[in-house]
Amino acid sequence: EIQATLSKVMRNIIETTKMFVRWMDGACIDCTLGEISPKPTDDSDSHIPTFFNDISQNSQVMKLQTMVYQGIQKTFFYVNKYLESWNRFSSLWRLDKQMFIEKLATKNLTWLEYDKRFEEYTKLIRGIDNYPQEKDIDFVCVDCNPLLAEIQKETRVWITGEGKQLSEIIKHRLF
C-alpha cells in the first residue's frame, strides 16, 4: 500500500506540471495555442499549452523517475525480506494453543521436560529485548515495538497454558 502510494506521488509530481502554463516569449503573459511554435499535433483547440509534454518526455526526467521507482522497489524488497525474518515466531499465533497443549499432555512428558520447555519460553522472552526496536531500511523506519511486545505476550500465554496443563497432570497423579 505504501509502495503504491509512493508510486502515485511520483506520477503526480510529473502531472502537476500541467498547471504551469507557458508564457509568451519575453513576457509574463500566458500563451494560447496560436502563439506557440510548433503547434501541437492534437486537434484540441481548447488545450492550454503547459510544460507537461516537455517534462514528461525529457530523457533525464524519465531516467530519474526510473531510478526512483527502482529505489522504491529495492527498499520494499528489503522491508519485506526483513518482515519475513519474523515468521520464525509465527507458530506462537498459528498453532491452536488448546489443542496443542492437550496433545502435549497425552505424551506424558516428565516434569523436567516441561521445565525445559518453560526455560526455552523464558529465554525467548528475555532474548526479545535484545532485538532492535526500530530498523531503518533506506527511507523507511520499521517500528518493531508492537511486534516484540506481542511475541512476549504470546509466549507468556503459552507458559500459562502449559503450566495449567502440568498442574492438572500433577493433581491427577497425586489424587
Side-chain angles (χ1 to χ4, degrees):
E1 185 178 320
I2 294 171
Q3 186 174 0
T5 301
L6 288 174
S7 294
K8 186 176 179 179
V9 167
M10 283 298 302
R11 283 189 307 274
N12 287 343
I13 288 172
I14 303 298
E15 290 286 321
T16 58
T17 62
K18 290 180 179 179
M19 296 186 320
F20 293 101
V21 179
R22 289 181 178 267
W23 288 348
M24 287 188 191
D25 189 25
C28 296
I29 301 171
D30 292 347
C31 285
T32 64
L33 272 181
E35 298 164 335
I36 62 170
S37 178
K39 288 190 177 186
T41 56
D42 65 358
D43 296 329
S44 170
D45 286 328
S46 63
H47 176 76
I48 299 172
T50 67
F51 287 99
F52 173 73
N53 286 338
D54 294 341
I55 292 174
S56 66
Q57 294 172 9
N58 182 291
S59 63
Q60 289 178 326
V61 171
M62 290 170 43
K63 183 178 177 181
L64 287 172
Q65 198 172 14
T66 300
M67 288 172 51
V68 170
Y69 281 130
Q70 289 171 345
I72 290 170
Q73 288 175 341
K74 180 188 81 148
T75 298
F76 282 96
F77 170 80
Y78 287 116
V79 167
N80 286 332
K81 191 174 178 180
Y82 178 69
L83 294 176
E84 287 172 6
S85 73
W86 291 97
N87 283 341
R88 66 180 175 270
F89 299 107
S90 65
S91 63
L92 293 170
W93 292 276
R94 262 194 271 165
L95 292 175
D96 180 343
K97 290 176 188 65
Q98 190 60 37
M99 188 168 61
F100 182 85
I101 291 170
E102 287 172 6
K103 277 186 181 181
L104 194 63
T106 63
K107 293 182 179 182
N108 295 320
L109 298 178
T110 66
W111 185 88
L112 290 174
E113 290 171 312
Y114 271 102
D115 187 54
K116 184 177 180 183
R117 294 180 62 79
F118 294 145
E119 280 182 38
E120 289 174 13
Y121 288 136
T122 304
K123 191 187 217 179
L124 175 60
I125 290 171
R126 289 185 182 138
I128 285 296
D129 290 333
N130 296 327
Y131 283 83
Q133 295 180 357
E134 291 181 345
K135 174 77 171 173
D136 291 325
I137 303 172
D138 295 333
F139 59 88
V140 176
C141 179
V142 181
D143 181 6
C144 302
N145 283 311
L147 178 60
L148 298 173
E150 201 59 33
I151 289 171
Q152 289 178 326
K153 177 184 165 196
E154 285 297 312
T155 305
R156 287 184 181 99
V157 170
W158 278 96
I159 291 172
T160 302
E162 290 184 27
K164 285 180 181 178
Q165 186 65 46
L166 177 60
S167 176
E168 289 297 317
I169 291 169
I170 291 171
K171 283 181 188 177
H172 180 65
R173 288 181 186 169
L174 291 177
F175 301 108

